[in-house]
Amino acid sequence: MIRFIEDNGALIVRSRNETIRIESWGNNALRVRATLLKKLPENAHALTENVAHSAKVTIDEGSETAEIVNGKIKATINGVGIICFYKDNKLILQEYYSYYYGSIRKEAICYKTRSREYKGLASDDFKITVRFESDPDEKLYGMGQYQMPILDLKGSVLPLEQRNSQVSVPFVISSKGYGMLWNNPATGEAAFGTNITKWISDESDMVDYWITADDTPAQIVTNYTECVGRAPVMSKDYLGLWQCKLRYRTPDEVLEVARKYKELGIKLDVIVIDFFHWPYQGDWRFDEKYWSKEAVKAMTDELHAMGTKVMVSVWPSVDKRSENYYEMEQKALISTTDVGSVQTYDYEGDCGTVDFFNPEAQEFVWSKCKQNYRDLGIDLFWLDNSEPDSTKYDFENYRYYTGRGSKVGCEYPKKYVEAFYNGQEAEGDHEAVNLCRSAWVGSQKYRTLVWTGDVQSNFESFKDQVIAGQNMGLAGIPWWTTDIGGFMTDNWDDPDFTELLIRWYQYGVFCPILRMHGNRGPDWDIPKLDDRDFGGGYLYTGHPNELWSYGDEAYEIMKKWLDIRLSMKDYIAGLMEETAKTGAPLIRTMFFEFPDDEKCWELPEQYMFGSDYLVAPVLELGARERSVYLPNGKWESLSDKKVYNGGQTVTVPAPLDIMPVFKRLG
């Protein structure tokens, strides 16, 4: 027989050998946990913030039902443990349960399929599946960054795994007025079928999810970020141009670029020194053959005098040839494997991976980076390969301080950035930005700026990034950017690539951070500095990637759009303050600002930059006009100041120097 217990405002349910706990957790929100273990685990996972816990529990022993209410949201549970959720007493989500006794669904009840399924593993953990009924008319958004041209995720199957250019942040927003967090760092899968919704964890000790119901997507995001954390305010010092390429090989190369920008009257907010400036992976220092301490300090002093911050790339891979490898191995600061080789990464070396789940490993790596970078004037850190990148993504074979990769692995990028955030805070640096290639729920708390990884340089990939940025914002990650022009370029001198670069740059002006980067191939036709097979001089560099590198026309167009960006610094700074207060992203889906306009739920290729600017990137080679939907109100074109009435689709000119942008007048 099922048993219902009220425990200080929480609803405890015991059915067979399963324990369920449903409790209020923040504004109009409930947390659901369930396990077959004797004691419910206490791990908070992403729900780290102190929030209100207040709910009303009602138990009806006669009908074997119970309910818990927190503001707009209510959960009910019946005698066989089926949980249903209501917003203002209207059903919004129901567990899928098909059994002869107790089922409440109207279709087949003879499948012998339960809502929550636990398959035992060799440890005390389980492979867990939770099923919900699906509404085919529902629209779903969020979930982080997936490389696909799909904004509405209904019908999608999404791996819950961190990979290069794929960022799993398992929070989804529904057009039915709720948001749901799968509060579990395990690898797995989310399947949003038209017939059924499934969440799968490969290795977990409990079911753990959080759900909120509210009137608008903005309120849902506010409720969510209150519980998992929000990005702090980003300094205006980072809101201009960031300059990067693959890769500046010496201090002289860095200074040559910075001085040219200064001559042109362009202030660089940040300049970036990319990978393999080190002797071996895991040394976390400059190769002094090309980057002597004296030259680095002189370089950073000159750049600081220009008002430019300096960022260096850091990787979590540790080559066996590194001066730190064996000390770290002996201290268990490197992740291990359950079977086979201990090697986890093989790019340019036989490498292990730092176990950032281990606090001692966090402290070790930060101490090296402080000594070898920060103390020489380096301001910021680019935490690359932060999934972490692996020779093969065998998550169940990698073992960390707190568990196997299949149980905790999705949280790795958050632990990586935490190491640097804690170090910077201890140094009294409360404004640094950490550039990362991956993230998990709550990474935004650690001043994490996510970029989209090694994406291709083509219009198809460009479109994917425009859509990914919108879903990342809904997933709670507001600091987000891309490699302008894409990362992997076959021929930097191709006119078609130059057009792509210009269109991408125009879009980048209306992203949280404006950042030039990419491997401008081919990379084989530039001589190496060194015949060694290691160190800062032997690896390829890529062709130039500065604003002037692509001809006079391209430069003039990008300079024009840079001036627009700089004129908006105060506006963007205001958006940064807003996201710190409410969690609202800078890149917003149309429906975020216009939730009552049904058409705005179906516009993946345009977005709002804050509440004032509607942005319509040009996503096709050769396109010289663009159709744009304008919601109700008055809209002023940024290019010609023409004012349009909203509530209509307009086709506007888009010559190469113009991307359609409209300012909201009311």
CSV table of all heavy atoms in Angstrom, one decimal, residues 506-549:
chain,number,residue,atom,x,y,z
A,506,GLN,N,28.6,41.1,-38.7
A,506,GLN,CA,27.4,41.9,-38.5
A,506,GLN,C,26.6,41.3,-37.4
A,506,GLN,O,26.1,42.0,-36.5
A,506,GLN,CB,26.6,42.1,-39.7
A,506,GLN,CG,27.3,42.9,-40.8
A,506,GLN,CD,26.6,42.7,-42.2
A,506,GLN,OE1,25.9,41.8,-42.5
A,506,GLN,NE2,26.9,43.7,-43.1
A,507,TYR,N,26.4,40.0,-37.4
A,507,TYR,CA,25.7,39.3,-36.4
A,507,TYR,C,26.4,39.4,-35.0
A,507,TYR,O,25.8,39.6,-34.0
A,507,TYR,CB,25.5,37.8,-36.8
A,507,TYR,CG,25.1,36.9,-35.7
A,507,TYR,CD1,23.9,36.9,-35.1
A,507,TYR,CD2,26.1,36.0,-35.2
A,507,TYR,CE1,23.5,36.0,-34.1
A,507,TYR,CE2,25.8,35.1,-34.2
A,507,TYR,CZ,24.5,35.1,-33.6
A,507,TYR,OH,24.2,34.2,-32.6
A,508,GLY,N,27.7,39.3,-35.1
A,508,GLY,CA,28.5,39.3,-33.8
A,508,GLY,C,28.4,40.6,-33.1
A,508,GLY,O,28.5,40.7,-31.8
A,509,VAL,N,28.1,41.7,-33.8
A,509,VAL,CA,27.9,43.0,-33.2
A,509,VAL,C,26.7,42.9,-32.2
A,509,VAL,O,26.7,43.6,-31.2
A,509,VAL,CB,27.7,44.1,-34.2
A,509,VAL,CG1,27.1,45.4,-33.6
A,509,VAL,CG2,29.0,44.4,-34.9
A,510,PHE,N,25.7,42.1,-32.5
A,510,PHE,CA,24.6,41.9,-31.7
A,510,PHE,C,24.6,40.6,-30.9
A,510,PHE,O,23.5,39.9,-30.7
A,510,PHE,CB,23.3,42.1,-32.5
A,510,PHE,CG,23.1,43.5,-33.0
A,510,PHE,CD1,23.7,43.9,-34.2
A,510,PHE,CD2,22.4,44.4,-32.3
A,510,PHE,CE1,23.6,45.2,-34.7
A,510,PHE,CE2,22.2,45.7,-32.8
A,510,PHE,CZ,22.8,46.1,-33.9
A,511,CYS,N,25.8,40.2,-30.5
A,511,CYS,CA,26.0,39.1,-29.5
A,511,CYS,C,26.5,39.7,-28.2
A,511,CYS,O,27.1,40.9,-28.2
A,511,CYS,CB,26.9,38.1,-30.1
A,511,CYS,SG,26.2,37.0,-31.4
A,512,PRO,N,26.5,39.0,-27.1
A,512,PRO,CA,27.0,39.5,-25.9
A,512,PRO,C,28.5,40.0,-26.0
A,512,PRO,O,28.9,41.0,-25.4
A,512,PRO,CB,26.8,38.4,-24.9
A,512,PRO,CG,25.6,37.7,-25.4
A,512,PRO,CD,25.7,37.7,-26.9
A,513,ILE,N,29.3,39.2,-26.7
A,513,ILE,CA,30.7,39.5,-26.9
A,513,ILE,C,31.0,39.5,-28.4
A,513,ILE,O,30.6,38.6,-29.1
A,513,ILE,CB,31.6,38.6,-26.2
A,513,ILE,CG1,31.5,38.8,-24.6
A,513,ILE,CG2,33.1,38.7,-26.6
A,513,ILE,CD1,31.9,40.2,-24.1
A,514,LEU,N,31.8,40.5,-28.9
A,514,LEU,CA,32.2,40.6,-30.3
A,514,LEU,C,33.6,40.1,-30.4
A,514,LEU,O,34.5,40.7,-29.9
A,514,LEU,CB,32.1,42.0,-30.8
A,514,LEU,CG,32.6,42.4,-32.1
A,514,LEU,CD1,31.7,41.7,-33.2
A,514,LEU,CD2,32.6,43.9,-32.3
A,515,ARG,N,33.8,38.9,-31.1
A,515,ARG,CA,35.1,38.2,-31.0
A,515,ARG,C,35.5,37.7,-32.3
A,515,ARG,O,34.9,36.8,-32.9
A,515,ARG,CB,35.0,37.1,-29.9
A,515,ARG,CG,36.2,36.2,-29.8
A,515,ARG,CD,36.0,35.3,-28.6
A,515,ARG,NE,37.0,34.2,-28.7
A,515,ARG,CZ,36.7,33.0,-29.3
A,515,ARG,NH1,35.6,32.8,-29.9
A,515,ARG,NH2,37.6,32.1,-29.3
A,516,MET,N,36.6,38.2,-32.8
A,516,MET,CA,37.3,37.6,-34.0
A,516,MET,C,38.1,36.4,-33.7
A,516,MET,O,39.0,36.5,-32.8
A,516,MET,CB,38.2,38.7,-34.7
A,516,MET,CG,37.4,39.9,-35.3
A,516,MET,SD,36.6,39.4,-36.9
A,516,MET,CE,38.0,39.3,-38.0
A,517,HIS,N,37.9,35.3,-34.3
A,517,HIS,CA,38.7,34.1,-34.1
A,517,HIS,C,38.5,33.1,-35.2
A,517,HIS,O,37.5,33.2,-35.9
A,517,HIS,CB,38.4,33.4,-32.8
A,517,HIS,CG,39.3,32.3,-32.5
A,517,HIS,ND1,40.7,32.4,-32.5
A,517,HIS,CD2,39.1,30.9,-32.3
A,517,HIS,CE1,41.3,31.2,-32.3
A,517,HIS,NE2,40.3,30.3,-32.1
A,518,GLY,N,39.5,32.3,-35.5
A,518,GLY,CA,39.3,31.2,-36.4
A,518,GLY,C,40.7,30.7,-36.9
A,518,GLY,O,41.7,31.5,-36.9
A,519,ASN,N,40.7,29.5,-37.4
A,519,ASN,CA,41.9,28.9,-38.1
A,519,ASN,C,41.7,29.2,-39.6
A,519,ASN,O,41.0,28.5,-40.3
A,519,ASN,CB,42.0,27.4,-37.8
A,519,ASN,CG,43.2,26.8,-38.4
A,519,ASN,OD1,44.1,27.5,-38.9
A,519,ASN,ND2,43.2,25.5,-38.4
A,520,ARG,N,42.4,30.2,-40.0
A,520,ARG,CA,42.2,30.6,-41.4
A,520,ARG,C,43.2,29.9,-42.3
A,520,ARG,O,44.3,30.2,-42.5
A,520,ARG,CB,42.5,32.2,-41.5
A,520,ARG,CG,41.5,33.0,-40.7
A,520,ARG,CD,40.1,32.7,-41.0
A,520,ARG,NE,39.2,33.4,-40.1
A,520,ARG,CZ,38.1,32.8,-39.5
A,520,ARG,NH1,37.9,31.6,-39.7
A,520,ARG,NH2,37.4,33.5,-38.7
A,521,GLY,N,42.7,28.8,-42.8
A,521,GLY,CA,43.4,27.9,-43.6
A,521,GLY,C,43.6,28.4,-45.1
A,521,GLY,O,43.0,29.4,-45.5
A,522,PRO,N,44.4,27.7,-45.9
A,522,PRO,CA,45.2,26.5,-45.5
A,522,PRO,C,46.4,26.8,-44.5
A,522,PRO,O,46.9,27.9,-44.6
A,522,PRO,CB,45.7,26.0,-46.8
A,522,PRO,CG,45.8,27.2,-47.7
A,522,PRO,CD,44.7,28.1,-47.3
A,523,ASP,N,46.7,25.9,-43.6
A,523,ASP,CA,47.7,26.2,-42.6
A,523,ASP,C,49.1,25.6,-43.0
A,523,ASP,O,50.0,25.8,-42.3
A,523,ASP,CB,47.3,25.7,-41.3
A,523,ASP,CG,46.8,24.2,-41.3
A,523,ASP,OD1,47.5,23.4,-42.0
A,523,ASP,OD2,45.8,23.9,-40.6
A,524,TRP,N,49.1,24.9,-44.1
A,524,TRP,CA,50.4,24.2,-44.4
A,524,TRP,C,51.4,25.2,-45.2
A,524,TRP,O,52.5,24.8,-45.4
A,524,TRP,CB,50.1,23.0,-45.3
A,524,TRP,CG,49.1,23.2,-46.4
A,524,TRP,CD1,47.8,23.0,-46.4
A,524,TRP,CD2,49.4,23.8,-47.7
A,524,TRP,NE1,47.2,23.3,-47.6
A,524,TRP,CE2,48.2,23.9,-48.4
A,524,TRP,CE3,50.6,24.3,-48.3
A,524,TRP,CZ2,48.1,24.4,-49.7
A,524,TRP,CZ3,50.5,24.9,-49.6
A,524,TRP,CH2,49.2,24.9,-50.3
A,525,ASP,N,50.9,26.3,-45.7
A,525,ASP,CA,51.7,27.2,-46.5
A,525,ASP,C,52.4,28.3,-45.8
A,525,ASP,O,52.9,29.2,-46.4
A,525,ASP,CB,50.9,27.7,-47.7
A,525,ASP,CG,49.7,28.6,-47.2
A,525,ASP,OD1,49.4,28.6,-46.0
A,525,ASP,OD2,49.1,29.2,-48.1
A,526,ILE,N,52.4,28.2,-44.4
A,526,ILE,CA,53.1,29.2,-43.6
A,526,ILE,C,54.3,28.5,-42.9
A,526,ILE,O,54.0,27.5,-42.2
A,526,ILE,CB,52.2,29.8,-42.6
A,526,ILE,CG1,51.0,30.5,-43.3
A,526,ILE,CG2,52.9,30.8,-41.7
A,526,ILE,CD1,50.0,31.1,-42.3
A,527,PRO,N,55.5,28.9,-43.1
A,527,PRO,CA,56.6,28.2,-42.5
A,527,PRO,C,56.6,28.2,-41.0
A,527,PRO,O,56.1,29.2,-40.4
A,527,PRO,CB,57.9,29.0,-43.0
A,527,PRO,CG,57.4,29.8,-44.2
A,527,PRO,CD,55.9,30.1,-44.0
A,528,LYS,N,57.0,27.1,-40.4
A,528,LYS,CA,57.1,27.0,-38.9
A,528,LYS,C,58.3,27.8,-38.5
A,528,LYS,O,59.2,28.1,-39.2
A,528,LYS,CB,57.3,25.5,-38.5
A,528,LYS,CG,56.1,24.6,-38.9
A,528,LYS,CD,56.5,23.2,-38.5
A,528,LYS,CE,55.3,22.2,-38.9
A,528,LYS,NZ,55.6,20.8,-38.5
A,529,LEU,N,58.2,28.1,-37.2
A,529,LEU,CA,59.4,28.8,-36.6
A,529,LEU,C,60.4,27.9,-36.1
A,529,LEU,O,61.6,28.3,-35.8
A,529,LEU,CB,58.9,29.7,-35.4
A,529,LEU,CG,57.9,30.8,-35.7
A,529,LEU,CD1,57.5,31.5,-34.4
A,529,LEU,CD2,58.4,31.8,-36.7
A,530,ASP,N,60.1,26.6,-36.0
A,530,ASP,CA,61.0,25.7,-35.2
A,530,ASP,C,60.9,24.3,-35.8
A,530,ASP,O,59.8,23.9,-36.3
A,530,ASP,CB,60.5,25.6,-33.8
A,530,ASP,CG,61.6,25.1,-32.8
A,530,ASP,OD1,62.4,24.3,-33.2
A,530,ASP,OD2,61.6,25.6,-31.7
A,531,ASP,N,62.0,23.6,-35.9
A,531,ASP,CA,62.0,22.2,-36.3
A,531,ASP,C,61.7,21.2,-35.2
A,531,ASP,O,61.6,20.0,-35.5
A,531,ASP,CB,63.3,21.8,-37.0
A,531,ASP,CG,63.5,22.6,-38.3
A,531,ASP,OD1,62.5,22.9,-39.0
A,531,ASP,OD2,64.7,22.9,-38.6
A,532,ARG,N,61.6,21.6,-34.0
A,532,ARG,CA,61.2,20.7,-32.9
A,532,ARG,C,59.8,20.2,-33.1
A,532,ARG,O,59.0,20.7,-33.8
A,532,ARG,CB,61.3,21.4,-31.5
A,532,ARG,CG,62.7,21.9,-31.2
A,532,ARG,CD,62.7,22.6,-29.8
A,532,ARG,NE,61.8,23.7,-29.7
A,532,ARG,CZ,61.5,24.3,-28.6
A,532,ARG,NH1,62.0,24.0,-27.5
A,532,ARG,NH2,60.6,25.4,-28.7
A,533,ASP,N,59.5,19.1,-32.4
A,533,ASP,CA,58.1,18.5,-32.5
A,533,ASP,C,57.3,18.9,-31.3
A,533,ASP,O,56.4,18.2,-30.9
A,533,ASP,CB,58.2,17.0,-32.7
A,533,ASP,CG,58.8,16.2,-31.6
A,533,ASP,OD1,59.3,16.9,-30.7
A,533,ASP,OD2,58.7,15.0,-31.6
A,534,PHE,N,57.7,19.9,-30.6
A,534,PHE,CA,57.0,20.4,-29.4
A,534,PHE,C,57.3,21.9,-29.3
A,534,PHE,O,58.2,22.4,-29.9
A,534,PHE,CB,57.4,19.6,-28.2
A,534,PHE,CG,58.8,19.9,-27.7
A,534,PHE,CD1,59.1,20.9,-26.7
A,534,PHE,CD2,59.9,19.2,-28.3
A,534,PHE,CE1,60.4,21.2,-26.3
A,534,PHE,CE2,61.2,19.5,-27.9
A,534,PHE,CZ,61.4,20.4,-26.9
A,535,GLY,N,56.6,22.5,-28.3
A,535,GLY,CA,56.9,23.9,-28.0
A,535,GLY,C,56.2,24.9,-28.9
A,535,GLY,O,55.4,24.6,-29.7
A,536,GLY,N,56.5,26.2,-28.6
A,536,GLY,CA,55.7,27.3,-29.2
A,536,GLY,C,56.0,27.6,-30.6
A,536,GLY,O,55.3,28.5,-31.1
A,537,GLY,N,56.9,27.0,-31.2
A,537,GLY,CA,57.3,27.4,-32.6
A,537,GLY,C,57.0,26.5,-33.7
A,537,GLY,O,57.1,26.8,-34.9
A,538,TYR,N,56.6,25.2,-33.4
A,538,TYR,CA,56.5,24.3,-34.4
A,538,TYR,C,55.1,24.1,-35.0
A,538,TYR,O,54.9,23.7,-36.2
A,538,TYR,CB,57.0,22.9,-34.0
A,538,TYR,CG,55.9,22.0,-33.3
A,538,TYR,CD1,55.2,21.0,-34.0
A,538,TYR,CD2,55.5,22.3,-32.0
A,538,TYR,CE1,54.3,20.3,-33.4
A,538,TYR,CE2,54.5,21.5,-31.4
A,538,TYR,CZ,53.9,20.5,-32.1
A,538,TYR,OH,52.9,19.7,-31.5
A,539,LEU,N,54.0,24.5,-34.3
A,539,LEU,CA,52.7,24.2,-34.7
A,539,LEU,C,52.2,25.3,-35.6
A,539,LEU,O,52.7,26.4,-35.6
A,539,LEU,CB,51.7,24.0,-33.5
A,539,LEU,CG,50.5,23.2,-33.7
A,539,LEU,CD1,50.9,21.8,-34.1
A,539,LEU,CD2,49.6,23.1,-32.5
A,540,TYR,N,51.2,25.0,-36.5
A,540,TYR,CA,50.7,25.9,-37.5
A,540,TYR,C,50.1,27.1,-36.8
A,540,TYR,O,49.7,27.1,-35.7
A,540,TYR,CB,49.7,25.2,-38.4
A,540,TYR,CG,48.7,24.4,-37.7
A,540,TYR,CD1,47.6,24.9,-37.1
A,540,TYR,CD2,48.9,23.0,-37.5
A,540,TYR,CE1,46.7,24.1,-36.5
A,540,TYR,CE2,48.0,22.2,-36.9
A,540,TYR,CZ,46.9,22.8,-36.3
A,540,TYR,OH,46.0,22.0,-35.7
A,541,THR,N,50.0,28.2,-37.6
A,541,THR,CA,49.6,29.5,-37.1
A,541,THR,C,48.3,30.0,-37.7
A,541,THR,O,47.5,30.7,-37.0
A,541,THR,CB,50.7,30.6,-37.2
A,541,THR,OG1,50.1,31.8,-36.9
A,541,THR,CG2,51.1,30.7,-38.7
A,542,GLY,N,48.0,29.6,-38.9
A,542,GLY,CA,46.8,30.2,-39.6
A,542,GLY,C,47.1,31.5,-40.2
A,542,GLY,O,48.0,32.3,-39.7
A,543,HIS,N,46.3,31.9,-41.2
A,543,HIS,CA,46.5,33.2,-41.9
A,543,HIS,C,46.0,34.3,-41.0
A,543,HIS,O,45.3,34.1,-40.1
A,543,HIS,CB,45.9,33.1,-43.3
A,543,HIS,CG,46.7,32.3,-44.2
A,543,HIS,ND1,47.7,32.8,-45.0
A,543,HIS,CD2,46.6,31.0,-44.6
A,543,HIS,CE1,48.2,31.9,-45.8
A,543,HIS,NE2,47.6,30.8,-45.5
A,544,PRO,N,46.3,35.5,-41.4
A,544,PRO,CA,45.9,36.7,-40.6
A,544,PRO,C,44.4,36.7,-40.5
A,544,PRO,O,43.6,36.3,-41.4
A,544,PRO,CB,46.4,37.9,-41.5
A,544,PRO,CG,47.6,37.4,-42.2
A,544,PRO,CD,47.2,35.9,-42.5
A,545,ASN,N,43.9,37.3,-39.4
A,545,ASN,CA,42.5,37.4,-39.1
A,545,ASN,C,42.1,38.7,-38.4
A,545,ASN,O,41.2,38.7,-37.6
A,545,ASN,CB,42.1,36.2,-38.2
A,545,ASN,CG,40.6,36.0,-38.0
A,545,ASN,OD1,39.9,36.0,-39.0
A,545,ASN,ND2,40.1,35.9,-36.8
A,546,GLU,N,42.7,39.7,-38.8
A,546,GLU,CA,42.4,41.0,-38.3
A,546,GLU,C,41.4,41.7,-39.2
A,546,GLU,O,41.2,41.3,-40.3
A,546,GLU,CB,43.6,41.9,-38.1
A,546,GLU,CG,44.6,41.4,-37.0
A,546,GLU,CD,45.3,40.1,-37.4
A,546,GLU,OE1,45.8,40.0,-38.5
A,546,GLU,OE2,45.3,39.1,-36.6
A,547,LEU,N,40.8,42.8,-38.8
A,547,LEU,CA,39.7,43.5,-39.6
A,547,LEU,C,40.3,43.9,-40.9
A,547,LEU,O,39.5,43.9,-41.9
A,547,LEU,CB,39.2,44.7,-38.8
A,547,LEU,CG,38.5,44.5,-37.5
A,547,LEU,CD1,37.7,45.8,-37.1
A,547,LEU,CD2,37.5,43.3,-37.5
A,548,TRP,N,41.5,44.2,-41.0
A,548,TRP,CA,42.1,44.7,-42.3
A,548,TRP,C,42.6,43.6,-43.2
A,548,TRP,O,43.1,43.8,-44.3
A,548,TRP,CB,43.2,45.7,-42.0
A,548,TRP,CG,44.4,45.0,-41.2
A,548,TRP,CD1,45.3,44.2,-41.6
A,548,TRP,CD2,44.5,45.2,-39.8
A,548,TRP,NE1,46.2,43.8,-40.6
A,548,TRP,CE2,45.7,44.4,-39.5
A,548,TRP,CE3,43.9,45.8,-38.8
A,548,TRP,CZ2,46.1,44.3,-38.1
A,548,TRP,CZ3,44.3,45.8,-37.5
A,548,TRP,CH2,45.5,45.0,-37.2
A,549,SER,N,42.5,42.3,-42.7
A,549,SER,CA,43.1,41.2,-43.4
A,549,SER,C,42.4,40.8,-44.7
A,549,SER,O,42.9,40.0,-45.5
A,549,SER,CB,43.2,40.0,-42.5
A,549,SER,OG,43.9,40.3,-41.3
